[in-house]
Amino acid sequence: MDNDLDIVLKVTNEINDSGVHLEEIVVGPTDFFSAKNTDDLINNDKFYEILKHPETVLSFISTLRASEERIEHIIGVLEARLPNLDIDLIIAIDADEIYDNQEKIDEIKRKFEILDRSSMRFEPAFQINIHPADIFEKDMAKLSELSRMIRQEFNTILEFNPSLLRVKHRAQHAKLDHWTKMVRENFEKEEGMIYTQANNNHRGVTNLVFNFRKGTFYLCPFVYENVFIYTPTYEIKPSDNGYDFQLLQDAFQNALIKQFDYANTKADNCASCTRLNSCVYKNVLTFMEDNEITHCFLDMYTEDEDGR
């Protein structure tokens, strides 16, 4: 862990020194309150050095199944070092676990009270904890009602993503097609349903997102969610002097050039699409090339105010 933190700390210091806003550090993918190495992380000085900029947000995921004592312990350690830290908390839930289950709702509310007592500022949101074998049979029919219940009980949103992290690399395209079909057929006209992928202001050219795992940085495509894929297509190789911020910027720019080339030479309709820049900045065409996709697989949201 120490070596990894050294690499990330070097790059984050360069980002902060350059005047670029280091917006968010996402720690995952395992449950932050339950992971075995969380204590090692939160007791390491380098972790707090990485988060030292007052505008940098810490983001992590949890099921909130850990005990209240465990959650209080971790929050206490963080709070002692960075009492004004902003935290985006993604709460992964099983639809059947919370749907029409007042006992579970009350348990989560008690844990929310722990968050509320902290000097740190938590922004919680729920996310469907998708099990590939039963999501469409069990969760889809309840999604709209569950979303309304979460808004009413917790005053926050429910995110529904394809959960590509849980799918083997070469099966991701098929999973996306299945997920898109189910959303289109069941929820496309639902009131309050927002497609983040369709937001042209999300993940612009000045918003750089990278994954880091076991000493290596990777490009991070956004396909309805930030996708964590650790294959050579996305890998950013270090220089002889290791990683630095300029190297990551160069890798992002090179990916832009490759994606525009893919749009013009291999993709079916991307070159003439008004959303091309938005997709390129999200590294969608990197994902397309890696999965040998030539058609628009995001067509769920392409009809806009002009009826396109």
Side-chain angles (χ1 to χ4, degrees), residues 87-291:
I87 298 178
D88 285 345
L89 171 60
I90 304 299
I91 304 161
I93 59 169
D94 291 326
D96 288 349
E97 179 183 32
I98 193 172
Y99 183 81
D100 199 25
N101 185 344
Q102 192 60 47
E103 183 178 349
K104 185 64 178 180
I105 292 171
D106 290 342
E107 177 192 338
I108 295 175
K109 285 183 176 181
R110 288 196 303 272
K111 291 171 180 177
F112 267 39
E113 290 175 0
I114 299 173
L115 309 182
D116 290 340
R117 290 195 296 268
S118 172
S119 65
M120 299 184 295
R121 294 175 292 272
F122 284 86
E123 287 290 338
F126 287 82
Q127 185 178 89
I128 289 286
N129 195 17
I130 300 175
H131 189 289
D134 63 13
I135 177 61
F136 300 117
E137 289 76 16
K138 292 186 178 180
D139 292 351
M140 291 296 285
K142 301 174 181 177
L143 182 60
S144 297
E145 188 175 345
L146 182 60
S147 180
R148 285 189 289 270
M149 182 273 289
I150 284 174
R151 171 67 71 181
Q152 179 180 340
E153 296 283 352
F154 301 102
N155 192 31
T156 188
I157 63 171
L158 174 68
E159 297 179 1
F160 178 55
N161 299 320
S163 267
L164 296 181
L165 178 65
R166 298 162 183 244
V167 183
K168 290 183 179 179
H169 177 223
R170 288 302 175 187
Q172 289 172 346
H173 182 202
K175 174 66 180 294
L176 270 173
D177 281 345
H178 196 179
W179 181 86
T180 301
K181 179 175 181 288
M182 291 296 103
V183 172
R184 184 189 298 117
E185 290 179 353
N186 291 277
F187 302 106
E188 191 169 17
K189 305 301 181 183
E190 279 288 335
E191 181 181 354
M193 179 72 75
I194 299 173
Y195 296 121
T196 306
Q197 191 78 30
N199 184 351
N200 284 330
N201 295 318
H202 180 262
R203 285 282 296 264
V205 67
T206 59
N207 186 235
L208 312 185
V209 181
F210 302 99
N211 294 324
F212 180 83
R213 178 176 180 261
K214 295 182 178 179
T216 303
F217 279 97
Y218 298 83
L219 296 169
C220 179
F222 185 89
V223 184
Y224 300 107
E225 60 184 327
N226 287 324
V227 182
F228 309 109
I229 309 176
Y230 306 111
T231 63
T233 299
Y234 306 92
E235 182 179 350
I236 302 171
K237 295 187 181 299
S239 68
D240 292 340
N241 296 318
Y243 287 103
D244 57 51
F245 183 39
Q246 186 60 55
L247 187 146
L248 298 186
Q249 292 180 86
D250 291 344
F252 181 80
Q253 292 297 325
N254 290 336
L256 296 185
I257 295 169
K258 288 184 64 177
Q259 288 179 92
F260 281 119
D261 180 66
Y262 190 77
N264 286 304
T265 60
K266 296 182 181 179
D268 296 337
N269 301 305
C270 291
S272 60
C273 180
T274 59
R275 297 186 186 271
L276 174 60
N277 285 354
S278 178
C279 283
V280 166
Y281 300 152
K282 294 180 174 79
N283 268 302
V284 170
L285 278 81
T286 302
F287 181 89
M288 289 175 63
E289 182 172 13
D290 189 43
N291 285 276

Side-chain angles (χ1 to χ4, degrees), residues 7 17 31-32 34-35 37 50 55 62 66 72-74 105 115 129 136 140 177 179 184 193 248 255 280:
I7 296 170
D17 291 343
D31 188 321
F32 189 78
S34 300
N37 61 349
I50 291 169
E55 294 183 2
S62 176
E72 286 178 328
H73 165 70
I74 292 175
I105 292 171
L115 309 182
N129 195 17
F136 300 117
M140 291 296 285
D177 281 345
W179 181 86
R184 184 189 298 117
M193 179 72 75
L248 298 186
V280 166

Side-chain angles (χ1 to χ4, degrees), residues 1-9 50 212-216:
M1 178 181 290
D2 243 22
N3 289 339
D4 284 348
L5 290 175
D6 283 334
I7 296 170
V8 175
L9 179 58
I50 291 169
F212 180 83
R213 178 176 180 261
K214 295 182 178 179
T216 303

